[in-house]
Amino acid sequence: TKRPLHVTFKSSLAIGEWSLLRKQNAANAASIISKASRQFYVQIRRSANVGNHIHLVIQGKTRRGIQDFLRTVGAQISTRVTGARKGNPVGKFWDSLVYSRVVEWGRDFRNVCGYV
């Protein structure tokens, strides 16, 4: 919790109608991320929506808060983009688990922020 994390949500299904760059999907993703960050006390240092994946540089107050943030953001974005509902499942939207890496302060943090 003392150092930031670089996390990436990646989906190969995020093309065409489900692209994260579509105006409605981008607005939904941004609102979900900001709401969850306030709810779980996670600071968003940098963010980038690339269309088929989302980069975030985050820092949380607690490990549990970070875990809840990642779980909530992934589930809500995929549900909102695909339109999945109870009784109407779509299947797996994200390719794999969230990629995460602890970022050291200083040069490493500047490089990651420049990348994102």
Side-chain angles (χ1 to χ4, degrees), residues 22-115:
R22 290 190 74 224
K23 189 175 184 179
Q24 187 64 37
N25 294 340
N28 285 337
S31 71
I32 289 168
I33 290 169
S34 70
K35 181 181 176 190
S37 70
R38 287 190 306 271
Q39 182 179 1
F40 298 113
Y41 302 104
V42 172
Q43 290 181 341
I44 308 295
R45 300 287 186 173
R46 294 277 189 276
S47 66
N49 181 347
V50 187
N52 68 340
H53 60 286
I54 298 174
H55 288 282
L56 299 172
V57 179
I58 62 172
Q59 187 175 10
K61 289 215 177 268
T62 63
R63 180 183 173 132
R64 179 67 183 196
I66 294 169
Q67 290 171 337
D68 292 343
F69 171 80
L70 294 175
R71 185 182 64 249
T72 302
V73 166
Q76 288 184 356
I77 289 175
S78 64
T79 302
R80 189 80 56 92
V81 168
T82 61
R85 298 278 178 256
K86 187 173 182 179
N88 183 24
V90 172
K92 189 175 174 185
F93 180 73
W94 302 112
D95 288 347
S96 60
L97 296 175
V98 175
Y99 167 82
S100 64
R101 175 176 91 84
V102 176
V103 178
E104 297 294 331
W105 290 110
R107 174 186 280 177
D108 193 20
F109 180 72
R110 285 190 304 274
N111 289 342
V112 167
C113 287
Y115 176 75

